[in-house]
C-alpha cells in the first residue's frame, strides 16, 4: 500500500503541496486533477524521491521511503513523465534502460505492451535503429511510446504517470493510452 500522510512540500515560502494525505491500495488507480501549479507534478516527483518532503511521510507497504535506498525505490516505481529522456543508442538499449538485465524477448514484449512494436518494426533498422540526441529522429509520440515500454519492462509494482499525453496529438494520444492501459494492469497507479 502507498500511503501519503500529512505531506507538505515548500519551495521557499510557497507551498506546492499542503498537508496531503492519501491511501492507495495495491492495484488501485488514483488520478489527481487540478490547475497548473496545483502541486500534481511536485507530488509525482516526491513519490520516487526526486525531491524530499518538507513535512509528512510517504510509505510503501509500511516503510518510509526515506529509509529505503534510492535504487530500491526506483526499481519499484515505474515513471512515465511528460518529458521523455532518451540517449544516443539503439531503440533496444533505450527500452532496456528500464531493466538493464532484460532479454531481447522481454524488450520486444514491453514494446508490444506499450503499442510501440509496430512503429519500431517500420523503421529501417527496427530495434537496432540508433537514436539521435534525446530521440530527435522520432516524433514526440514515438518517444513517449518508448518511455512507456521502458516502464513496462521495469515490472515495477507502482506506476507514476505525470501528464504523459499532454504534448501529443489526439491520434497519437489514443495509441499511448492503449499502451498505458496495458501498462497499468495489476499495478498501483498514481
Amino acid at each position: 500500500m502507498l500511503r501519503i500522510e500529512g505531506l507538505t512540500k515548500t519551495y521557499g515560502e510557497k507551498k506546492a503541496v499542503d498537508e496531503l494525505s492519501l491511501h492507495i491500495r495495491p492495484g488501485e488507480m488514483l488520478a489527481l486533477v487540478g490547475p497548473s501549479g496545483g502541486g500534481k507534478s511536485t507530488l509525482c516527483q516526491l513519490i520516487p524521491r526526486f525531491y524530499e518532503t518538507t513535512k509528512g511521510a510517504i510509505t510503501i507497504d509500511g516503510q518510509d521511503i526515506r529509509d529505503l535506498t534510492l535504487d530500491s525505490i526506483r526499481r519499484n516505481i515505474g515513471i512515465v513523465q511528460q518529458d521523455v529522456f532518451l540517449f544516443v543508442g539503439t531503440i533496444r538499449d533505450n527500452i532496456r534502460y528500464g531493466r538493464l538485465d532484460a532479454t531481447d524477448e522481454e524488450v520486444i514484449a514491453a514494446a508490444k505492451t506499450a503499442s510501440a512494436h509496430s512503429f519500431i518494426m517500420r523503421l529501417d533498422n527496427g530495434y537496432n535503429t540508433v537514436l539521435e540526441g534525446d530521440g530527435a529522429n522520432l516524433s514526440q509520440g514515438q518517444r513517449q511510446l518508448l518511455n512507456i515500454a521502458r516502464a513496462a519492462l521495469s515490472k515495477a509494482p507502482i506506476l507514476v504517470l505525470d501528464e504523459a499525453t499532454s504534448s501529443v496529438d489526439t491520434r497519437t494520444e489514443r495509441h499511448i493510452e492503449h499502451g498505458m492501459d496495458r501498462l497499468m494492469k495489476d499495478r498501483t497507479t498514481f
Side-chain angles (χ1 to χ4, degrees):
M1 175 174 296
L2 177 65
R3 289 182 180 263
I4 297 170
E5 298 287 344
L7 186 70
T8 298
K9 174 62 180 172
T10 60
Y11 299 102
E13 297 293 314
K14 183 179 180 338
K15 286 186 179 179
V17 178
D18 188 19
E19 293 291 325
L20 178 68
S21 293
L22 299 168
H23 302 170
I24 308 165
R25 290 185 291 276
E28 272 189 336
M29 181 189 325
L30 175 73
L32 293 178
V33 179
S36 291
K40 300 178 303 293
S41 290
T42 296
L43 190 54
C44 288
Q45 300 297 313
L46 289 167
I47 294 170
R49 278 189 58 204
F50 291 136
Y51 299 147
E52 295 295 335
T53 63
T54 303
K55 180 178 143 193
I58 300 171
T59 61
I60 299 173
D61 295 333
Q63 286 197 281
D64 191 313
I65 64 171
R66 292 172 291 201
D67 297 334
L68 303 172
T69 65
L70 289 177
D71 183 56
S72 173
I73 292 168
R74 300 205 181 132
R75 270 185 308 189
N76 286 288
I77 299 174
I79 303 167
V80 180
Q81 297 178 324
Q82 175 181 351
D83 298 320
V84 180
F85 170 76
L86 298 173
F87 54 86
V88 175
T90 65
I91 286 178
R92 176 180 287 107
D93 290 341
N94 270 274
I95 294 172
R96 188 172 277 131
Y97 190 67
R99 199 176 86 240
L100 297 175
D101 64 346
T103 66
D104 287 348
E105 291 77 20
E106 290 172 317
V107 168
I108 292 168
K112 287 179 179 178
T113 295
S115 298
H117 180 73
S118 60
F119 98 75
I120 293 169
M121 294 309 294
R122 286 192 303 269
L123 298 172
D124 289 342
N125 295 311
Y127 285 85
N128 293 320
T129 299
V130 175
L131 298 180
E132 296 174 8
D134 213 18
N137 49 332
L138 298 177
S139 72
Q140 178 64 30
Q142 290 169 329
R143 291 192 296 268
Q144 192 60 284
L145 291 173
L146 294 182
N147 197 22
I148 294 167
R150 187 184 281 169
L153 187 63
S154 77
K155 296 186 179 177
I158 298 172
L159 196 57
V160 176
L161 308 173
D162 187 14
E163 298 191 46
T165 62
S166 67
S167 58
V168 297
D169 61 82
T170 52
R171 181 172 169 252
T172 304
E173 183 176 359
R174 275 183 263 145
H175 286 290
I176 292 170
E177 285 174 352
H178 289 305
M180 286 196 306
D181 286 343
R182 288 189 291 278
L183 178 63
M184 293 185 294
K185 188 173 182 344
D186 300 324
R187 294 182 187 200
T188 303
T189 305
F190 187 85

